[in-house]
Amino acid sequence: MHQIRLRVNGREHELTVEARRTLADMLRHDLGYTGTHLGCEHGICGACTVLVDGGPVRSCLMFGVQADGTEVSTVEGLAAGEELSDLQQAFSDHHALQCGFCTPGFLMLAEAYLAEQVSAAAEDPAREDPAEADVRELVASNLCRCTGYQGIVEAVLATGRSRRRAAGP
Ligand code: FES
Ligand code: FES
């Protein structure tokens, strides 16, 4: 058993966790962040994607103890109370989900991508917005069995455009 500390969605947690407990199980069962979903549990589907220090990870492939000292972001941290984040709203507007099982993983994957795009555009204002092909390649890492990917791609592109506009020239 290991005692660890981490922040999840800005909130400090200290807990004792078994060495073999995955980050996904620790988030869901020990800390109550059940928005992180488990599909395949072996790194294929991406449903369990969360951000660790800003980067997307498949939380079924990482041990909870490895998150000691990190900042983890889960889908619960996106909305402000009842108000959806811009990306969540775009998923709704573009019909990017049906059952929603895969959605937390897609949202967190896209959050990391969009943050990277905004900071790259800040460094290089002449940089073009991501092309549809880039976003298709991104979302190919996660599996959705319901919607097809068109709505997801459109939602990510639309959010990227509006965040870039909001960040200024
Ligand atoms: S549950 Fe982690 S990749 Fe499928
Ligand atoms: S919305 Fe059902 S699996 Fe993606």
Side-chain angles (χ1 to χ4, degrees):
M1 299 295 279
H2 297 265
Q3 185 144 11
I4 65 168
R5 293 170 72 109
L6 72 162
R7 289 170 72 83
V8 182
N9 304 331
R11 185 165 161 218
E12 195 80 39
H13 292 280
E14 189 165 344
L15 73 159
T16 303
V17 65
E18 274 188 325
R20 65 180 180 180
R21 191 114 163 123
T22 66
L23 175 59
D25 283 343
M26 187 181 90
L27 287 169
R28 289 176 54 81
H29 301 300
D30 299 328
L31 298 176
Y33 295 99
T34 52
T36 299
H37 290 168
L38 280 165
C40 67
E41 298 191 62
H42 63 278
I44 304 296
C45 72
C48 65
T49 303
V50 299
L51 306 188
V52 176
D53 290 335
V57 303
R58 283 161 159 37
S59 60
C60 69
L61 293 185
M62 182 170 164
F63 291 117
V65 289
Q66 293 176 289
D68 188 19
T70 66
E71 174 83 42
V72 174
S73 304
T74 71
V75 71
E76 287 91 343
L78 296 184
E82 293 297 304
E83 190 179 331
L84 297 178
S85 74
D86 55 350
L87 181 61
Q88 288 172 312
Q89 188 61 53
F91 266 57
S92 173
D93 294 343
H94 292 271
H95 310 292
L97 68 152
Q98 284 185 44
C99 79
F101 192 84
C102 68
T103 309
F106 276 103
L107 289 168
M108 301 317 290
L109 178 75
E111 279 296 344
Y113 177 76
L114 292 168
E116 195 179 273
Q117 293 300 316
V118 166
S119 81
E123 279 175 27
D124 174 12
R127 185 186 166 92
E128 290 189 7
D129 284 339
E132 183 171 328
D134 299 326
V135 176
R136 283 193 180 280
E137 193 177 326
L138 173 81
V139 301
S141 76
N142 284 27
L143 299 179
C144 174
R145 297 175 71 169
C146 296
T147 62
Y149 289 73
Q150 188 60 36
I152 298 172
V153 169
E154 285 170 8
V156 174
L157 285 168
T159 306
R161 284 192 297 269
S162 66
R163 284 192 191 179
R164 188 163 177 187
R165 272 200 306 278

